[in-house]
Amino acid sequence: MAENNKFEVENLDLFYGEFQALKSITMDIEANKVTAFIGPSGCGKSTFLRTLNRMNDLIDTVRIDGEIKLDGQDIYKKDVDVTDLRRRVGMVFQKPNPFPMSIYDNVVYGPRAQGIKDKKKLDEIAESSLRAAALWDEVKDKLNKSGLALSGGQQQRLCIARTIAMKPEIILMDEPTSALDPIATLKVEQLMEELKKEYTIVIVTHSMQQAARISDTTAFFLMGELIEMGDTNDIFSNPKKQQTEDYITGRFG
Ligand SMILES: Nc1ncnc2c1ncn2[C@@H]1O[C@H](COP(=O)(O)OP(=O)(O)OP(=O)(O)O)[C@@H](O)[C@H]1O
Ligand SMILES: [Mg+2]
């Protein structure tokens, strides 16, 4: 295993019933980098993202072949603790989905579920997670207010704080800014720049500008296949494959 690889995916096929949504995907995802997945709607970006923390297990028609290793360990082996895997590989969704409870309770939900009861410890987790999500200053005086009363951009950062509170190693984000205005988007993008110092980030985005701004590595998918992956600057300025060039220049998709 190359030392800086977090994930190593080999020949991954995924079927929804008869339909093959992912075709022999092989890729490495490097630690402490932002990796962006781009490609037209329906090409399999979200499906592939969900294979990285076994969220597809929740869909009963799904069948998977191939291998995904996290730190060298096969995450689809029978004895893998899926709850622990999902703690290590956190996920932020397209639509902010705070729980209907206070800001504070949202952030410490996971640690509490893990059995942490000490108030001081929970306070620390809440503050450090909200700081890491660049939300602390905006909410520190209203931690007992409902998470649902925040703006969309604040809700998304609350969801990021909730993920961070679990001390994940990797954060998967599926179009995390698509429901946000440009200012909130900018805040979340700046946050990613900070977060990658400590975490490995994988983001699905429909915005090529966003991929170009925030990612180190870009992977281009088309109809279930990984067409090309590489340094983000190379993918956007000097793609090797015609299909990549057609997509990034807007000729299709
Ligand atoms: N639960 C499901 N059951 C059956 N087919 C599915 C399911 N989820 C996705 N698919 C199919 O798998 C393919 C890939 O879907 P996926 O959601 O991964 O695409 P995507 O690249 O994330 O698209 P978008 O950019 O629109 O979000 C599509 O053809 C889709 O219809
Ligand atoms: Mg999707």
Side-chain angles (χ1 to χ4, degrees):
M1 189 183 78
E3 212 167 273
N4 51 345
N5 285 344
K6 202 64 191 160
F7 283 108
E8 293 180 332
V9 180
E10 237 183 275
N11 292 321
L12 188 86
D13 294 322
L14 183 144
F15 299 83
Y16 292 111
E18 300 283 281
F19 175 70
Q20 185 167 7
L22 296 174
K23 297 171 187 165
S24 198
I25 307 291
T26 294
M27 76 158 69
D28 296 335
I29 296 176
E30 278 184 78
N32 298 97
K33 293 267 169 78
V34 177
T35 299
F37 294 168
I38 62 168
S41 185
C43 68
K45 304 178 296 294
S46 297
T47 298
F48 182 60
L49 195 72
R50 290 194 299 262
T51 64
L52 300 175
N53 68 349
R54 293 187 52 173
M55 285 299 247
N56 289 314
D57 286 15
L58 306 171
I59 305 169
D60 55 13
T61 57
V62 164
R63 186 166 65 78
I64 288 173
D65 289 328
E67 191 174 71
I68 300 185
K69 285 184 177 161
L70 170 57
D71 290 340
Q73 304 289 324
D74 183 353
I75 64 169
Y76 280 90
K77 263 185 46 196
K78 282 212 166 56
D79 59 353
V80 167
D81 178 344
V82 180
T83 307
D84 185 58
L85 173 70
R86 294 197 188 127
R87 185 199 59 73
R88 293 177 65 194
V89 189
M91 194 157 196
V92 174
F93 298 87
Q94 178 168 9
K95 224 170 129 254
N97 58 348
F99 303 137
M101 52 181 75
S102 73
I103 293 168
Y104 182 92
D105 289 342
N106 261 280
V107 181
V108 301
Y109 186 88
R112 266 190 185 137
Q114 287 183 318
I116 300 176
K117 292 196 183 76
D118 182 55
K119 172 88 169 85
K120 211 169 137 233
K121 180 84 193 127
L122 290 172
D123 286 354
E124 268 170 31
I125 293 172
E127 178 169 345
S128 63
S129 306
L130 286 164
R131 279 191 191 281
L135 187 59
W136 175 251
D137 290 337
E138 287 158 70
V139 302
K140 64 175 188 287
D141 299 322
K142 51 176 182 183
L143 294 175
N144 293 316
K145 292 264 158 51
S146 170
L148 299 171
L150 296 171
S151 74
Q154 290 173 327
Q155 287 187 13
Q156 194 59 301
R157 280 177 287 144
L158 177 61
C159 295
I160 293 171
R162 190 175 67 194
T163 302
I164 289 171
M166 296 300 285
K167 303 203 187 321
E169 296 161 36
I170 299 119
I171 304 179
L172 309 177
M173 302 193 187
D174 197 348
E175 302 187 50
T177 63
S178 65
L180 306 184
D181 72 25
I183 292 168
T185 295
L186 187 68
K187 283 209 164 160
V188 172
E189 288 186 2
Q190 287 168 339
L191 174 58
M192 280 184 239
E193 196 59 36
E194 276 304 305
L195 291 177
K196 78 170 184 189
K197 294 174 189 158
E198 271 192 76
Y199 306 93
T200 301
I201 297 181
V202 185
I203 177 177
V204 172
T205 177
H206 269 280
S207 159
M208 286 186 266
Q209 290 81 358
Q210 180 167 69
R213 275 195 301 270
I214 64 171
S215 72
D216 303 292
T217 306
T218 296
F220 170 59
F221 291 83
L222 189 61
M223 291 171 68
E225 289 183 63
L226 174 62
I227 302 297
E228 183 167 355
M229 180 169 185
D231 188 89
T232 294
N233 291 329
D234 293 341
I235 294 285
F236 285 100
S237 62
N238 194 14
K240 292 194 179 65
K241 298 275 173 67
Q242 186 64 44
Q243 292 134 305
T244 315
E245 181 164 343
D246 288 349
Y247 184 71
I248 62 170
T249 56
R251 251 169 279 175
F252 70 81

